[in-house]
Amino acid sequence: MARPLEFDRDAALDRAMRVFWRQGYQAASLPDLLADMGISRSSLYAAFGDKRGLMVECLDLFARRTLQILARARTGQPPLEALRQFFDRSVVDPPGGNAEWGCLLVNTVLEMADVDDGLSAHAAARLAQVQAGFEDCLRDAGCAPDQADELAAFLMLVNQGMRVSSRRAQPLQARRDQIATTFRVLSAAIPTEAPAT
């Protein structure tokens, strides 16, 4: 019979996610992770398998939280306003003041390309889920399927570019200006917005 966990798994996972987000997968040493998570090596292996298994769970957690930001923004708001709020809350001025860390998913795609294609692909698949969320909003805003697909890809490109730029400690006002420009372009591409369904 397996022994029950003697720590808060969700809290430990959250702390591990922040280590990977801040340092990257390769730079996050096992001692760093164990110290921040407040657990032993044997507990890590029992709960998460290994460092790579832990990273996969951290990517999934980050993706879930990102999608929750979009879902919350969509509650009771027109679709384009929801998209703009998503960018304001997750890219321009995220809670916790960690904009300079970029995006764990984007960071992992870049860091692990040609190093661990599996981890890179896992992060890319989670980014595709976010892009699908963008596409749903754009369809609700009145875009035809092809246009929604095209504009969602454009928004993902903006999202990724801003996340990479934020790692250079880009000024807050510059981020706000870029989002304002993005949504002027987007609004011009969708002349009339349908009510949210």
Side-chain angles (χ1 to χ4, degrees):
M1 182 171 159
R3 291 177 54 194
L5 294 178
E6 296 175 357
F7 62 93
D8 183 332
R9 191 181 193 281
D10 291 340
L13 183 62
D14 178 73
R15 290 192 292 268
M17 181 190 74
R18 292 175 183 281
V19 174
F20 286 131
W21 189 5
R22 188 174 60 246
Q23 296 182 18
Y25 179 73
Q26 295 177 95
S29 70
L30 208 50
D32 289 341
L33 287 161
L34 296 174
D36 274 53
M37 294 170 77
I39 64 174
S40 67
R41 186 180 298 255
S42 60
S43 292
L44 183 142
Y45 291 137
F48 303 103
D50 58 13
K51 179 183 172 183
R52 191 178 186 282
L54 176 62
M55 180 61 165
V56 167
E57 288 201 41
C58 288
L59 292 170
D60 292 344
L61 175 62
F62 191 93
R64 280 194 306 276
R65 289 184 178 173
T66 301
L67 289 166
Q68 286 169 358
I69 293 169
L70 183 57
R72 281 193 300 270
R74 291 192 72 178
T75 303
Q77 295 200 75
L80 288 185
E81 182 56 33
L83 283 168
R84 183 168 184 140
Q85 262 197 28
F86 169 82
F87 276 85
D88 287 343
R89 291 178 182 170
S90 67
V91 180
V92 176
D93 193 17
N98 50 17
E100 71 279 1
W101 295 355
C103 167
L104 179 61
L105 303 174
V106 173
N107 296 348
T108 302
V109 168
L110 295 173
E111 178 191 4
M112 302 313 291
D114 301 324
V115 175
D116 184 327
D117 290 338
L119 276 180
S120 184
H122 193 86
R126 297 299 168 259
L127 284 170
Q129 291 176 324
V130 176
Q131 185 170 322
F134 294 167
E135 189 173 341
D136 287 344
C137 280
L138 290 161
R139 284 180 190 230
D140 289 348
C143 290
D146 287 350
Q147 185 187 31
D149 179 63
E150 180 181 73
L151 291 175
F154 164 71
L155 278 180
M156 181 51 73
L157 187 64
V158 170
N159 177 56
Q160 291 172 338
M162 289 193 70
R163 300 299 188 117
V164 171
S165 293
S166 68
R167 296 198 50 123
R168 298 189 330 248
Q170 187 183 46
L172 180 60
Q173 190 56 50
R175 295 196 299 271
R176 287 182 174 146
D177 292 345
Q178 289 162 355
I179 291 303
T181 299
T182 298
F183 279 86
R184 276 197 306 275
V185 170
L186 200 61
S187 294
I190 309 169
T192 57
E193 186 170 336
T197 55

